[in-house]
Amino acid sequence: ESGLFDLLVDMTDIPVIAQDRVESAAALMQWFVASGMRRGAMAVATMTQEMQLKRVSDRHEKFQYFRSLDEATHWLDTPSEAQ
């Protein structure tokens, strides 16, 4: 799979993204994809947070969501062909 980098984001200490930060999150996610992100592993604390991020990313297929940093890291350590 083409791409320049993988991304790991740990948001497990933030239960909900503040509304005033949602637009910033959307812009960052778009920038990551446009800048060559191959895969983005998002470790989130809650389903609410996951739903917020899915909404602002337009459910982009390059992002996957996990409930722990270990799960997210494991996913990135697995070759993309095996996923």
Side-chain angles (χ1 to χ4, degrees):
E1 184 175 340
S2 64
L4 302 174
F5 63 95
D6 290 334
L7 176 72
L8 174 62
V9 177
D10 180 4
M11 297 183 73
T12 55
D13 289 338
I14 306 167
V16 177
I17 302 169
Q19 193 58 40
D20 62 338
R21 304 278 192 236
V22 171
E23 286 185 34
S24 297
L28 276 173
M29 294 174 95
Q30 290 171 359
W31 184 86
F32 292 138
V33 172
S35 296
M37 183 188 76
R38 190 168 60 109
R39 298 182 296 168
M42 312 291 279
V44 297
T46 66
M47 181 61 78
T48 301
Q49 190 181 38
E50 181 177 336
M51 289 182 342
Q52 284 180 300
L53 291 170
K54 283 182 175 179
R55 181 174 45 85
V56 300
S57 72
D58 294 326
R59 300 190 184 282
H60 201 288
E61 71 277 355
K62 291 189 176 192
F63 292 102
Q64 294 293 318
Y65 301 89
F66 304 91
R67 288 294 181 270
S68 74
L69 190 57
D70 287 342
E71 289 175 321
T73 302
H74 176 73
W75 182 73
L76 287 176
D77 287 342
T78 303
S80 58
E81 301 83 39
Q83 296 174 358

